[in-house]
Amino acid sequence: MPSAKILEKKQAECAELTEKIQNAVAGVLVSYTGITVEQDTQLRKALREAGVDYKVYKNSMTGRACEACGYGDMKAHLEGMNALAISAEDPIAPAKILKEYADKIESFQIKAGFIDGGVIDAAAVNELASTPSKEEMLCKIMGSMMGPLYGLAYVLQAKIDKEEAGEAAEA
């Protein structure tokens, strides 16, 4: 039986993980087997730059934290060597970055995730990864809004140029 000090430390870690999951907009669970140290370092750097918290937790601790947050269905995927990527701001970032690595490394695989208060499977995480980022979507919306305005400006400018040409011919 673990000492009271060790048990207290584990409970604090579990409470911290529970809080992270509760404050997250999305998270992805991956099996990180077969990844080299260099690849893992690059992966962690990419996730850190995107504001994603990526860490290896014991499966029992992850299961308890997920259960406390209402993501009990995640427990079915907690077998083997797993890591959890949690994003507090961008719901697409963890899925996008981890899918990129899962495509490169055959043994590295996405297992499940959570978003909008529900658990999603690996296929849904992969689909989420193909969604454009918030910035890309905003650019597309702005582009579609600016198109008609530019068209109107060109028509008005052509009308002005035509009238000026007509006045110059009369003079």
Side-chain angles (χ1 to χ4, degrees), residues 17-94:
L17 176 58
T18 302
E19 185 178 336
K20 282 182 184 180
I21 293 172
Q22 285 174 338
N23 295 332
V25 292
V28 178
L29 181 72
V30 295
S31 172
Y32 64 92
T33 55
I35 189 168
T36 65
V37 172
E38 182 182 335
Q39 291 167 330
D40 187 53
T41 303
Q42 291 172 350
L43 172 64
R44 288 175 184 272
K45 182 180 182 224
L47 289 166
R48 192 172 35 254
E49 288 173 354
V52 177
D53 180 45
Y54 177 79
K55 192 171 177 183
V56 175
Y57 296 98
K58 291 184 79 171
N59 288 338
S60 57
M61 185 180 300
T62 304
R64 284 187 187 98
C66 287
E67 188 76 43
C69 296
Y71 300 127
D73 295 343
M74 289 278 283
K75 289 173 88 173
H77 303 283
L78 294 173
E79 292 179 10
M81 298 181 354
N82 299 309
L84 188 61
I86 302 169
S87 177
E89 296 174 12
D90 187 356
I92 299 171

